[in-house]
Each structure stands twice: as C-alpha cells, then as structure tokens.
C-alpha cells in the first residue's frame, strides 16, 4: 500500500488495536511485511514482539512528511509464528492489573508458558513473565495476549 493511500486513511480511535489487527491480517494473507502508521509505543511494542520471536523485525520508512513502520512477519514451516492475538485493554474499556493479578497469572494461569501477556507499565512495555524479575513493580495496563 502506498504512503499516499495510508495518509488519507481515517485515523483509528484505537491505534494499538489497529496495529495488532494489521499484523494478524498480514499473517492470514501470508504477507512478508506490512506497513503501519507510527503510533506512541509502537517501536517498543514491535521490538518486544521481535525479542519474543513473534516477528522477524521492523524498520522505519520515511517519505516527506510521513513516517511509517514496516513490520516483517515471521513464519515457521509456512505457518505464522503468531497463532492468535487478543487485545485486552481498549480505549473504551481500560483495564489495569496490579502486582497480585500479575503474580496470579504467573503462578496459576493455565497456558501462560505458551501465551504472552504484554503489559504497558510506567517503566515501559514488558511481558508478564518478566515481572517477577523487576523490582518495585506496581502493575500495568495489559495490552494484548499473544500466542
């Protein structure tokens, strides 16, 4: 998709959800890469997804006044590395998990070893399994489950 057609596209009220859906749709269509508009925390979120092995990489593409992110999707033996994405907190329904809820997820939640809960905290974006190693963690807003 050209920059000009993306520039004319209506801006989303839920930019994080839009980013996740674009990734999911690109994987369903077996695209090698997709273009997404730059949003706050997008670079940090994409880098975390790369570190977890869900994406191959990403880079910034600039064209005059626009800045887009090209995301390189990852496949294993023809199957997408991401089997599913579920957004947890949305602009119309914001959720916040405290330290006890996160510890419960780490200790008791079923399938948390195969799923990753991405959290937005005051110290940046992280995964729920990394919380136990962070000192002074008070909680955060769950962005999405990825598996």
């Amino acid at each position: 998709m050209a920059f000009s057609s993306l520039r004319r596209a209506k801006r989303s009220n839920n930019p994080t959800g839009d980013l996740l859906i674009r990734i999911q749709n690109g994987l369903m269509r077996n695209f090698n890469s997709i273009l997404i508009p730059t949003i706050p925390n997008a670079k940090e979120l994409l880098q975390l997804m790369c570190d977890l092995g869900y994406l191959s990489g990403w880079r910034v593409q600039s064209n005059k006044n626009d800045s887009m992110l090209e995301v390189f999707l990852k496949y294993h033996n023809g199957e997408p590395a991401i089997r599913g994405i579920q957004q947890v907190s949305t602009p119309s329904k914001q959720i916040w998990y405290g330290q006890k809820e996160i510890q419960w997820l780490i200790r008791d939640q079923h399938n948390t070893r195969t799923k990753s809960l991405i959290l937005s905290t005051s110290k940046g974006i992280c995964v729920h399994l990394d919380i136990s190693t962070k000192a002074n963690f008070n909680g955060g807003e769950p962005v999405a489950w990825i598996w």
Side-chain angles (χ1 to χ4, degrees):
M1 187 180 274
F3 280 145
S4 60
S5 60
L6 281 173
R7 189 178 334 119
R8 283 179 282 170
K10 183 179 175 187
R11 291 286 178 186
S12 173
N13 290 335
N14 184 0
T16 304
D18 185 49
L19 179 143
L20 296 171
I21 292 300
R22 286 177 190 240
I23 290 172
Q24 190 174 27
N25 288 345
L27 289 166
M28 287 175 29
R29 298 289 306 244
N30 292 322
F31 290 163
N32 291 327
S33 66
I34 57 169
L35 286 176
I36 53 176
T38 303
I39 62 168
N41 295 330
K43 294 175 186 176
E44 197 175 357
L45 178 62
L46 292 174
Q47 188 58 50
L48 180 65
M49 291 173 73
C50 289
D51 294 344
L52 293 171
Y54 292 121
L55 299 174
S56 293
W58 60 275
R59 70 176 175 195
V60 177
Q61 285 195 349
S62 298
N63 183 10
K64 293 185 183 178
N65 299 330
D66 290 337
S67 178
M68 301 291 289
L69 298 173
E70 184 176 13
V71 179
F72 300 101
L73 305 176
K74 189 173 188 177
Y75 299 90
H76 297 289
N77 298 326
E79 294 294 318
I82 298 174
R83 293 186 306 263
I85 299 176
Q86 179 183 6
Q87 187 177 11
V88 180
S89 185
T90 64
S92 62
K93 183 183 175 187
Q94 290 188 324
I95 299 170
W96 192 84
Y97 286 167
Q99 189 174 17
K100 289 182 182 180
E101 288 91 351
I102 300 298
Q103 293 301 327
W104 179 82
L105 283 171
I106 292 170
R107 202 172 34 250
D108 301 327
Q109 184 75 14
H110 174 325
N111 285 333
T112 55
R113 295 290 178 212
T114 58
K115 289 183 176 182
S116 299
L117 176 64
I118 298 177
L119 294 158
S120 177
T121 68
S122 60
K123 295 183 169 74
I125 294 182
C126 61
V127 182
H128 75 286
L129 295 174
D130 293 340
I131 297 303
S132 59
T133 62
K134 294 192 184 229
N136 299 327
F137 174 75
N138 292 326
E141 182 180 3
V143 176
W145 279 105
I146 301 178
W147 64 95

